Amino acid sequence: MASMSNPPSVIRPRNIWKSLNIGLIQTSLDHESAWGKVGPPMSPLEQTLAWEEIQRCLRLFRSCEPRPHLVLIPELSVPRGRLNDLRRASGALGSLIVAGVDYRLDYVSRTACNEAMVFIPTEWKKQEPSRAVSMMSVGKTYPAEREAALLKTARWKYEYNPNFWIFEGGEAGRFGLSICYDFLDLERALMYKEQIQHLAVVAYNRDVDSFRYMAESLARTVYCNVVICNTGHYGGSLAITPYYDPWERTVYRHNGSRMLTSQVIQLPVQPLITAQARKAQPKTFKSLPPGWSRTPPGRLRINLSEQDLDS
């Protein structure tokens, strides 16, 4: 899996996966305790507690069945001093991990960068332990107003990252990634339309209802699986896919605050790709949104053979 600034316009999948297993970790990190009025970095006590919670959930994933292909950890949840530990955990589990990390700070310019780290084991598709694990960072573009105000009070300037990302997962489908407030960026949503099968969001968000409404909308208009992993301090993690029947669309939803939770869910891959190619059976998925085309300029085209559909 690699980041792609200019993804190819044609996908010819072979042996497409029927489903993708995603592990969600909701840490119970509390902003007031972690940063308070002092601002970043995270307090030493909260760093210890946050890492203990993450370790506990990762151990559960190693013993569960099915094991996750991809693990999501909320925005700002991982202490920066634990990145190498998380890299080793990703290799031992054999899973991709997308983790929100505490602010990267430049003490000279007094700038703070909010980013997620993506860990890519070489054997993640086989769900086997890997010695080699690649690591890359994905920056957040827009701070929430409250986040910007808190950083300003602590005398930090926010570092904007203007990029958006598409990750090529081959037979697992293509992934888009957003960090919290970027999820509400409509221009970003338009760039993802007809490009991806999965949109993953790692968040530290109090307005969980607004994110739920946005997830329902994008699952329908971008026509992809939408997964939000929010902090357990507020709850509101969910996964939505554009199935035809309303009771099937919400694959997972967790309400309730101040709770550490972990869950492995399954999202469709092959059936969704088939629907994006206009070959789905009636009443399996919702109809494609207006303006959807298999071959618009610069957009994704999907070529499916009978072998692909039967695999």
Side-chain angles (χ1 to χ4, degrees):
M1 181 182 248
S3 64
M4 305 180 64
S5 57
N6 294 298
S9 60
V10 181
I11 180 170
R12 296 183 177 88
R14 293 292 181 268
N15 301 317
I16 312 168
W17 291 356
K18 184 176 180 180
S19 60
L20 177 75
N21 304 330
I22 297 185
L24 302 174
I25 296 177
Q26 282 194 163
T27 61
S28 61
L29 184 70
D30 175 17
H31 185 278
E32 293 297 330
S33 299
W35 296 283
K37 296 181 179 179
V38 179
M42 190 188 302
S43 70
L45 176 60
E46 290 298 315
Q47 289 187 37
T48 300
L49 295 176
W51 182 243
E52 287 179 353
E53 290 185 342
I54 293 169
Q55 280 186 305
R56 191 187 315 171
C57 294
L58 291 173
R59 283 195 295 267
L60 289 174
F61 288 158
R62 292 187 67 178
S63 61
C64 76
E65 186 64 37
R67 296 170 86 176
H69 300 106
L70 168 65
V71 175
L72 301 179
I73 303 176
E75 177 188 26
L76 297 172
S77 293
V78 180
R80 298 202 73 87
R82 293 294 184 176
L83 291 181
N84 284 332
D85 294 325
L86 192 57
R87 187 174 191 168
R88 286 190 289 269
S90 175
L93 183 61
S95 300
L96 295 164
I97 294 180
V98 177
V101 186
D102 193 16
Y103 291 102
R104 175 168 52 83
L105 304 174
D106 186 326
Y107 286 89
V108 176
S109 62
R110 295 293 295 181
T111 55
C113 177
N114 187 339
E115 60 188 7
M117 302 302 296
V118 182
F119 300 87
I120 309 171
T122 55
E123 303 298 326
W124 72 271
K125 292 182 182 179
K126 299 178 182 178
Q127 294 185 302
E128 296 178 354
S130 305
R131 290 187 177 181
V133 179
S134 302
M135 183 173 67
M136 61 171 294
S137 64
V138 175
K140 179 180 175 183
T141 305
Y142 301 106
E145 289 187 7
R146 186 167 180 265
E147 177 185 12
L150 290 171
L151 287 173
K152 184 177 180 180
T153 300
R155 298 182 180 179
W156 291 99
K157 294 181 294 183
Y158 186 82
E159 181 181 323
Y160 294 83
N161 189 309
N163 299 316
F164 85 107
W165 298 85
I166 293 177
F167 295 89
E168 176 60 73
E171 57 266 42
R174 288 185 181 151
F175 301 77
L177 175 60
S178 290
I179 303 176
C180 202
Y181 204 55
D182 288 350
F183 181 51
L184 303 180
D185 179 12
L186 293 180
E187 290 186 357
R188 188 179 304 259
L190 289 173
M191 289 188 286
Y192 281 138
K193 185 181 178 184
E194 302 183 45
Q195 297 280 21
I196 60 175
Q197 284 75 50
H198 320 284
L199 176 57
V201 184
V202 292
Y204 192 104
N205 170 53
R206 300 199 303 172
D207 190 359
V208 295
D209 284 339
S210 290
F211 269 44
R212 175 169 62 87
Y213 301 146
M214 189 68 173
E216 292 173 348
S217 174
L218 292 186
R220 183 75 178 86
T221 55
V222 180
Y223 209 78
C224 65
N225 299 315
V226 180
V227 187
I228 299 175
C229 184
N230 196 33
T231 172
H233 189 71
Y234 298 121
S237 293
L238 75 157
I240 297 177
T241 197
Y243 282 124
Y244 180 84
D245 292 319
W247 60 86
E248 288 192 325
R249 290 178 208 152
T250 302
V251 178
Y252 174 76
R253 181 180 173 188
H254 175 84
N255 288 333
S257 60
R258 296 177 176 85
M259 288 189 288
L260 168 66
T261 61
S262 61
Q263 184 68 43
V264 178
I265 61 175
Q266 289 187 330
L267 296 178
V269 181
Q270 183 200 67
L272 180 60
I273 289 176
T274 303
Q276 290 177 334
R278 301 178 184 270
K279 295 188 178 183
Q281 294 297 318
K283 296 189 177 181
T284 302
F285 285 84
K286 295 290 287 182
S287 58
L288 289 166
W292 186 281
S293 172
R294 276 181 286 176
T295 57
R299 292 297 188 177
L300 173 66
R301 290 190 291 121
I302 305 172
N303 292 346
L304 291 176
S305 66
E306 293 300 322
Q307 177 185 354
D308 296 325
L309 296 175
D310 293 338
S311 60

